[in-house]
C-alpha cells in the first residue's frame, strides 16, 4: 500500500483491511513515500515522522507491516522502483499495489508506466461518491473499491491540527499523541 501517509489515518487502515479481505492477501505492506514525485513544490512532513506514525498505526495488526524502501532510496519516489525493491526482497510474492484512486488515475503518466502492469495488480481505493476515470486503464490489471471510511482525509487532519481542533478518532490514538509530541502541522500556511 503506497501513500504519503501525512498522516496515516483510519481510512487508510480500513482500506487496507478491506482490500486484504476482498483479494485474499496474506500481508499488507505499507510503504510511505520518500520524496513524492508530484509534490516537489509542496511541504511534506519528514519521511521519518511519516514512517514512524505508520509503524505506530499498524503495530497491533499482525497482517500489516511497514517498509522503508521508499524513504531509504535516494531521489524522487517512483512506484516502479518501489515494486522492483519489494520484488527483490519477496521474489515469490504476487503483488497488489493499493493506493488512492485519485493518484491511480494518473498511472499512465508514471515513470516506466508500460512495465507497471506486469509487476502488480493495481487497486484504487475511493472516497464515497468519487468516480474513477478509467479511460485507457487496462481493466484486467486495475480494480477499484469504494471505502466509506475514506471520508477521512490527511488534508483535513492536517488542517484540523493546524487550527487546534481535535483529531482523536480520525487517526489511531498513538498517532494523535505523536502529532502532539512533535508539534506536527502547526506551522502550515
Ligand atoms: P496523493 O496525491 O497524496 O493522494 C491522492 C489521493 O489519494 C488523496 O485523496 C489521498 O488521500 C489518497 N491516497 C493516497 N494514498 C492512499 C492510500 N494508500 N490509501 C487510500 N487513499 C490514499 O498521493 P501520493 O500519496 O503522493 O501517492 C500515492 C502512491 O502513488 C504513492 O505510493 C506514490 O509513490 C505513488 N505515485 C507514484 C507516481 C510515479 O511513480 N510517478 C506518481 C504519483 C504517485 P489521503 O491524503 O487521505 O491519503
Amino acid at each position: 500500500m503506497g501513500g504519503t501517509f501525512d498522516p496515516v489515518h483510519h481510512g487508510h487502515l480500513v482500506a487496507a483491511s478491506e482490500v486484504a479481505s476482498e483479494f485474499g492477501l496474506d500481508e499488507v505492506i505499507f510503504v510511505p513515500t520518500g520524496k513524492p514525485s508530484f509534490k516537489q513544490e509542496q511541504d511534506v512532513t519528514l519521511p521519518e515522522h511519516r514512517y514512524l506514525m505508520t509503524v505506530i498505526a499498524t503495530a497491533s495488526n499482525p497482517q500489516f507491516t511497514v517498509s522503508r524502501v521508499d524513504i531509504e532510496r535516494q531521489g524522487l519516489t517512483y512506484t516502479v522502483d518501489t515494486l522492483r525493491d519489494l520484488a527483490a526482497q519477496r521474489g515469490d510474492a504476487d503483488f497488489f499495489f493499493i493506493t488512492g484512486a485519485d493518484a491511480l488515475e494518473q498511472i499512465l503518466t508514471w515513470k516506466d508506466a508500460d512495465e507497471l502492469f506486469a509487476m502488480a495488480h493495481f487497486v484504487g481505493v475511493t472516497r464515497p461518491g468519487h468516480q474513477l476515470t478509467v479511460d485507457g486503464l487496462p481493466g484486467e490489471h486495475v480494480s477499484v473499491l469504494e471505502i466509506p471510511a475514506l471520508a477521512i482525509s490527511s488534508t483535513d487532519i492536517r488542517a484540523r491540527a493546524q487550527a487546534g481542533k481535535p483529531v482523536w478518532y480520525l487517526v489511531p490514538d498513538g498517532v494523535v499523541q505523536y502529532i502532539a509530541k512533535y508539534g506536527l502541522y502547526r506551522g502550515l500556511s
Side-chain angles (χ1 to χ4, degrees):
M1 181 176 227
T4 305
F5 302 128
D6 193 15
V8 64
H9 55 65
H10 277 127
H12 297 131
L13 299 170
V14 172
S17 170
E18 280 294 300
V19 175
S21 160
E22 193 73 19
F23 291 89
L25 308 184
D26 297 321
E27 179 181 352
V28 179
I29 309 170
F30 286 70
V31 190
T33 55
K35 241 176 182 268
S37 60
F38 287 130
K39 293 188 184 163
Q40 296 168 54
E41 305 300 322
Q42 294 177 37
D43 253 356
V44 178
T45 304
L46 288 176
E48 202 63 32
H49 279 319
R50 294 184 286 104
Y51 168 78
L52 286 173
M53 288 191 281
T54 309
V55 169
I56 290 166
T58 55
S60 61
N61 187 331
Q63 202 183 14
F64 291 174
T65 56
V66 189
S67 169
R68 296 180 63 90
V69 290
D70 280 358
I71 66 170
E72 286 185 349
R73 195 182 318 104
Q74 295 295 311
L76 300 177
T77 298
Y78 297 107
T79 297
V80 69
D81 298 324
T82 310
L83 289 169
R84 279 183 189 138
D85 287 352
L86 292 175
Q89 293 173 359
R90 323 266 186 116
D92 54 345
D94 285 334
F95 286 103
F96 289 69
F97 187 84
I98 312 163
T99 196
D102 320 23
L104 205 59
E105 277 175 2
Q106 309 299 323
I107 191 170
L108 296 178
T109 68
W110 292 6
K111 185 183 165 207
D112 298 337
D114 48 334
E115 286 180 44
L116 289 171
F117 297 121
M119 302 173 86
H121 185 86
F122 286 77
V123 184
V125 287
T126 66
R127 307 201 140 86
H130 177 91
Q131 286 293 330
L132 177 67
T133 313
V134 285
D135 294 351
L137 297 186
E140 69 275 28
H141 298 299
V142 180
S143 306
V144 183
L145 210 59
E146 186 175 293
I147 308 289
L150 279 176
I152 301 173
S153 83
S154 298
T155 306
D156 177 52
I157 291 163
R158 291 194 300 273
R160 291 180 68 86
Q162 189 204 6
K165 292 183 180 173
V167 297
W168 290 108
Y169 314 118
L170 299 171
V171 300
D173 292 358
V175 174
V176 178
Q177 288 157 341
Y178 190 98
I179 290 170
K181 178 174 176 178
Y182 291 100
L184 302 184
Y185 312 123
R186 285 205 196 133
L188 296 175
S189 53

